[in-house]
Amino acid sequence: MGHPQPATSIVTDNSTAAGIANDDIKQKRSKAIDMRFYWIRNRVRQGQFIVYWRKGETNKADYPSKHHTATHHKIMRPSYLHTET
């Protein structure tokens, strides 16, 4: 539509994936890497995406997919559950 858009941020807790996407890490065996990383890396080079690493404990997408302590659940639960007070 002709409207400029800022780059879309992608947060990951996998430092190797972020390094490959940002060309900070050079893999030795290209056959072992999934083709999706090449697609994302090309989009990062074009300025469409910004891939950065964030520690898993502070990454909201990490909460439902991992086992955490009860304390972590109590901290994260309010950001997922919207209850009337």
Side-chain angles (χ1 to χ4, degrees):
M1 296 188 158
H3 299 289
Q5 294 182 344
T8 302
S9 297
I10 298 176
V11 181
T12 181
D13 63 347
N14 186 326
S15 61
T16 303
I20 291 170
N22 293 320
D23 284 330
D24 295 333
I25 295 175
K26 303 294 182 196
Q27 68 270 16
K28 292 181 182 180
R29 296 182 184 167
S30 61
K31 288 183 180 181
I33 195 74
D34 195 332
M35 292 303 293
R36 289 175 288 181
F37 284 111
Y38 292 120
W39 186 86
I40 292 172
R41 184 172 60 185
N42 288 335
R43 296 302 187 260
V44 168
R45 288 176 180 168
Q46 294 171 5
Q48 295 178 3
F49 292 121
I50 297 173
V51 178
Y52 61 96
W53 177 85
R54 183 179 287 173
K55 190 175 179 182
E57 294 171 354
T58 58
N59 186 351
K60 286 189 176 186
D62 194 52
Y63 173 70
S65 65
K66 303 279 189 321
H67 178 73
H68 295 285
T69 62
T71 306
H72 185 70
H73 283 288
K74 289 177 183 177
I75 293 168
M76 294 300 290
R77 193 173 297 150
S79 65
Y80 283 92
L81 299 176
H82 300 287
T83 58
E84 295 182 25
T85 56

